[in-house]
């Protein structure tokens, strides 16, 4: 993440049972390079001790407005000014009520009053408290003032009830933080992204497929959403969790993927074909499981339509980005594809290289454009590569 080390999150922890999940959030934030300053309310300290947060954040926890040492070392105005983002997780009905009413009667509410940074609030409470019209009205008012909220999730609540009120998983709060901090330079783009493998059925229990995990396409979707784009994700079968905010269209075969992509193409400003589309499918689908027999059997494969090539023929100003997984003559083969499929950018991987290509979380790619520029990038995470691809997309857009 860009400038992560310079980013300070002030994490306000108010007194709900979900305080323990805030500890995990601190750990994730620190792991990602954020500086985290935890501020606890008096009630929060009844659930978890400051020592837990101090150990995880590596900084003393701020708890009191009028403590002389704390005020000289930290100071509520300085805390308010340092923050790139203020996060309140968990946020009780009480603290949301106080913010809405403009009450600043402890350190956390005073910082909230003094800050100019964005504020993300993660409410967590009993389902009936959450549904209470007073709270809902308060949330509405704060949203109108530009406060950001992450919705509580539904499920079993510590009070014994079932319903909406659970603090979202720390990973999901972290993703929301990343989104809020990211520059929104793709706000005008409607991205159509494909991901994952295809499965071409042979009989009811067997199929032909490839090793694609879908990780690159999903990283492109996550990063695109963070940068403000609208994202439609056409995905083959994967075990990945789709990013919230993306429109997901699940497909299996190349034919289904083609249909979905052609359908969505009209509405897209740019297409990133990260899927490992199956080039061939079994010529015949057998509706009963093939029985084992003596001797070899011959499997005849028919070529699938090349989706990207079809798009290239009717791109009409859209930016088309393709991938090329190669095992030899990387630049030569990828350049050929770029030309033949009328792409604006091709992302080529040498899949024989360690840490590159399928399945892993990293990729080493070479980006090539229509002007003949060749950029070999070092090994990086798939999310970082997604960022580089979008930087390039913006460059292409601006050069038009
Ligand atoms: O020709 P090749 O399959 O290597 O091309 C790779 C690029 O073309 C990828 O972006 C892939 O998603 C896309 N593709 C496609 N339809 C196919 C095969 C590949 O859109 N049938």
């Amino acid at each position: 993440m860009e400038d992560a080390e310079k980013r300070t999150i002030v994490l306000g922890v108010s007194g709900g049972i979900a305080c323990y999940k805030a500890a995990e959030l601190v750990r994730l934030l620190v792991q990602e390079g954020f500086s985290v300053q935890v501020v606890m309310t008096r009630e929060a300290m009844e659930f978890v001790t400051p020592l837990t947060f101090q150990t995880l954040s590596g900084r003393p926890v701020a708890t009191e407005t009028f403590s002389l040492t704390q005020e000289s070392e930290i100071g509520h105005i300085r805390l308010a000014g340092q923050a790139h983002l203020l996060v309140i997780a968990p946020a009780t009905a009480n603290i949301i009520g106080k913010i809405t009413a403009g009450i600043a009667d402890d350190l956390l509410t005073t910082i909230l009053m003094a800050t100019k940074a964005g504020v993300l609030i993660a409410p967590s409470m009993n389902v009936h408290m959450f549904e209470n019209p007073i709270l809902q009205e308060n949330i509405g008012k704060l949203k109108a003032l530009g406060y950001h909220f992450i919705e509580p999730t539904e499920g079993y609540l510590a009070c014994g009830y079932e319903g909406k009120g659970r603090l979202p998983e720390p990973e999901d709060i972290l993703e929301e933080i990343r989104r809020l901090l990211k520059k929104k330079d793709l706000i005008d783009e409607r991205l159509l992204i494909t991901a994952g493998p295809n499965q071409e059925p042979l009989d009811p229990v067997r199929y032909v497929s490839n090793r694609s995990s879908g990780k690159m396409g999903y990283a492109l979707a996550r990063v695109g959403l963070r940068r403000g784009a609208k994202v439609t994700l056409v995905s083959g079968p994967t075990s990945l969790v789709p990013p919230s905010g993306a429109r997901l269209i699940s497909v299996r075969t190349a034919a289904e993927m083609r249909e979905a992509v052609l359908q969505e193409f009209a509405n897209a400003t740019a297409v990133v074909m990260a899927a490992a589309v199956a080039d061939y499918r079994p010529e015949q689908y057998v509706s009963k499981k093939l029985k084992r027999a003596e001797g070899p059997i011959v499997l005849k494969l028919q070529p699938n339509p090349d989706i990207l090539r079809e798009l290239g023929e009717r791109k009409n100003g859209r930016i088309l980005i393709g991938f090329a997984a190669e095992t030899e003559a990387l630049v030569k083969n990828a350049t050929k594809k770029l030309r033949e499929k009328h792409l604006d950018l091709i992302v080529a991987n040498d899949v024989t290289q360690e840490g590159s290509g399928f399945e892993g979380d990293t990729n080493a790619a070479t980006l090539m454009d229509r002007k003949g520029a060749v950029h070999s990038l070092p090994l990086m995470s798939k999310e970082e590569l997604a960022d580089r691809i979008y930087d390039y997309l913006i460059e292409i857009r601006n050069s038009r």
Side-chain angles (χ1 to χ4, degrees), residues 321-391:
I321 303 177
F323 278 68
E326 301 291 345
T327 50
E328 60 189 328
L330 184 81
V331 174
K332 186 165 155 270
N333 286 334
T335 311
K336 189 160 167 272
K337 269 178 211 169
L338 175 92
R339 299 265 158 233
E340 285 176 0
K341 302 192 188 200
H342 304 286
L343 308 182
D344 297 285
L345 183 69
I346 194 156
V347 183
N349 296 128
D350 178 351
V351 286
T352 60
Q353 198 184 322
E354 185 78 27
S356 181
F358 290 143
E359 291 164 351
D361 291 313
T362 56
N363 216 341
T366 302
L367 306 188
M368 283 164 257
D369 67 18
R370 296 195 70 74
K371 292 186 185 138
V374 177
H375 300 275
S376 291
L377 303 178
L379 192 68
M380 56 179 70
S381 74
K382 287 185 173 169
E383 287 197 357
E384 279 175 85
L385 178 58
D387 260 320
R388 303 293 282 265
I389 293 169
Y390 291 135
D391 292 345

Side-chain angles (χ1 to χ4, degrees), residues 273 275 277-279 305-308 322-323 337 341:
M273 280 291 291
V277 182
D279 288 319
D306 189 328
I307 306 170
L308 196 49
F323 278 68
K337 269 178 211 169
K341 302 192 188 200

